[in-house]
Amino acid sequence: MALRTIIEVPDPRLRLVSTPVDTVDDELRDLIADMFDTMYDAPGIGLAAIQVGVPKRVIVMDLQEQEDEEGKPIREPRVFINPEILEPAEEHSIYTEGCLSVPDQFADVERPARCRVKWLDEQGKSHDEQFEGLLATCIQHEMDHLEGIVFIDHLSRLKRDMIMKKLNKARKAA
Ligand code: GNR
Ligand code: NI
């Protein structure tokens, strides 16, 4: 188990465009294992490699929507390497998003309600699936990170400035 430090706005590394992975090897699988440890510890439902300072096109995700008999979340880890969005739906939906790189701040973001996603898993095997609901929202939020985009970039300047002000206030208080 190895936790990595999650970088936060306004760290300029969050603005980098991540580069495609060319070989899925043990070194990459080590990074993925650390990303899961870091995501579950945070806790969060998704994490892009750049959020731990690594500009590679790698995302881990676990919505943890199901619980067992004892009410403990059932883990359903997903890995996306070199993901691509195909056929975003014309229909949009609004979800109140948060981000581990903008801690404890939330705002409504509108995105395509469904999308088809193509990606490689940690064995280098390719997948192609249609996503909807929170899964569609989350994969689009994570894919934005690979392009150097953070969810607050989708807000009006007024709302974004308000979030940055609240974040800086909370940091000073801590
Ligand atoms: O933990 C997270 N929750 C979340 C909630 C709504 C929409 C997107 C997310 S992703 C976020 C973790 C994160 O920052 N991923 O980049
Ligand atoms: Ni995020």
Side-chain angles (χ1 to χ4, degrees):
M1 161 118 179
L3 298 180
R4 301 210 186 186
T5 305
I6 297 176
I7 61 177
E8 298 179 359
V9 289
D11 191 312
R13 289 173 290 174
L14 288 169
R15 297 304 173 192
L16 293 174
V17 176
S18 295
T19 49
V21 168
D22 47 33
T23 26
V24 180
D25 54 15
D26 285 344
E27 194 187 324
L28 190 77
R29 285 184 280 266
D30 282 347
L31 167 68
I32 290 166
D34 288 357
M35 286 172 66
F36 273 117
D37 290 343
T38 306
M39 181 191 78
Y40 287 125
D41 179 75
I45 59 172
L47 191 73
I50 191 58
Q51 292 181 277
V52 294
V54 179
K56 288 187 182 168
R57 301 185 83 82
V58 178
I59 290 164
V60 297
M61 203 183 287
D62 190 340
L63 304 186
Q64 298 192 68
E65 287 175 314
Q66 315 277 359
E67 295 184 343
D68 67 13
E69 313 82 55
E70 287 160 24
K72 274 194 296 182
I74 297 171
R75 285 191 176 181
E76 205 189 329
R78 299 165 182 269
V79 177
F80 299 88
I81 299 166
N82 298 343
E84 286 172 57
I85 292 194
L86 314 161
E87 303 168 12
E90 276 179 40
E91 186 196 332
H92 283 61
S93 61
I94 297 174
Y95 201 92
T96 306
E97 299 194 13
C99 181
L100 296 172
S101 297
V102 193
D104 303 316
Q105 308 303 319
F106 302 89
D108 287 356
V109 178
E110 186 179 335
R111 301 182 187 273
R114 291 173 299 282
C115 56
R116 196 178 134 203
V117 185
K118 244 183 90 173
W119 74 97
L120 301 179
D121 65 20
E122 67 279 19
Q123 307 304 330
K125 189 179 163 236
S126 66
H127 296 260
D128 183 333
E129 260 184 65
Q130 177 84 12
F131 291 147
E132 58 177 24
L134 181 56
L135 201 46
T137 293
C138 195
I139 190 72
Q140 291 176 74
H141 172 116
E142 302 309 338
M143 301 247 337
D144 270 356
H145 280 302
L146 305 188
E147 298 302 320
I149 296 166
V150 180
F151 84 100
I152 54 174
D153 300 343
H154 293 285
L155 309 177
S156 67
R157 182 155 147 202
L158 179 71
K159 282 189 185 160
R160 186 166 52 248
D161 287 352
M162 269 170 48
I163 282 188
M164 288 308 295
K165 231 167 109 179
K166 280 201 291 174
L167 181 57
N168 288 328
K169 203 173 154 190
R171 280 170 172 160
K172 275 194 198 126

